[in-house]
Amino acid sequence: MKISGRKGKETGNVVSRKTGGIQGKGPAGPAAPAAGVSPPGTPSLAISDQGRLVSEARRALDSLPEVRVEKVERIQAAIEGGDYRVEGRKVADKMVTDAVRELRNRTR
């Protein structure tokens, strides 16, 4: 892979994300692997503790259904039966609570 700089000039060697090696030619011919860069074909992977937690959370989230079918059916039935009631005070309280939380998060 080559990356061009301004006005189409080649910038030199580029680290490949696929192989982890360096591709291209520098002034002295084909490039040798730089310090800290694995030679092409050598797989390596380091995952932080935070990365592992995110991965575990993602798997847990993916295992949950996107829609709580039972709750949706219960509410639909209440609406169709004319039994569904919205408590304005609860809605207003929730809106204010969410707005305050959002404002606090913005200032951090």
Side-chain angles (χ1 to χ4, degrees):
M1 168 177 26
K2 292 181 183 177
I3 298 178
S4 297
R6 290 187 178 153
K7 298 184 182 177
K9 294 180 182 175
E10 189 176 321
T11 59
N13 299 328
V14 178
V15 175
S16 169
R17 288 184 184 205
K18 289 183 182 178
T19 64
I22 298 177
Q23 298 177 340
K25 293 184 178 182
V37 176
S38 301
T42 304
S44 64
L45 178 65
I47 299 175
S48 67
D49 290 338
Q50 186 177 10
R52 278 190 203 92
L53 288 173
V54 169
S55 180
E56 289 174 18
R58 170 56 70 188
R59 278 195 297 274
L61 185 61
D62 288 344
S63 70
L64 296 174
E66 286 191 38
V67 177
R68 293 184 286 178
V69 178
E70 299 84 22
K71 186 172 184 174
V72 171
E73 288 173 348
R74 191 172 60 246
I75 292 171
Q76 260 181 336
I79 291 170
E80 289 170 1
D83 299 326
Y84 187 74
R85 302 284 182 252
V86 176
E87 295 183 42
R89 181 171 288 297
K90 283 186 178 181
V91 173
D93 286 345
K94 178 71 172 150
M95 290 172 64
V96 170
T97 301
D98 289 350
V100 169
R101 183 179 303 122
E102 185 176 326
L103 287 172
R104 285 183 181 161
N105 289 336
R106 283 185 189 174
T107 59
R108 289 183 184 172

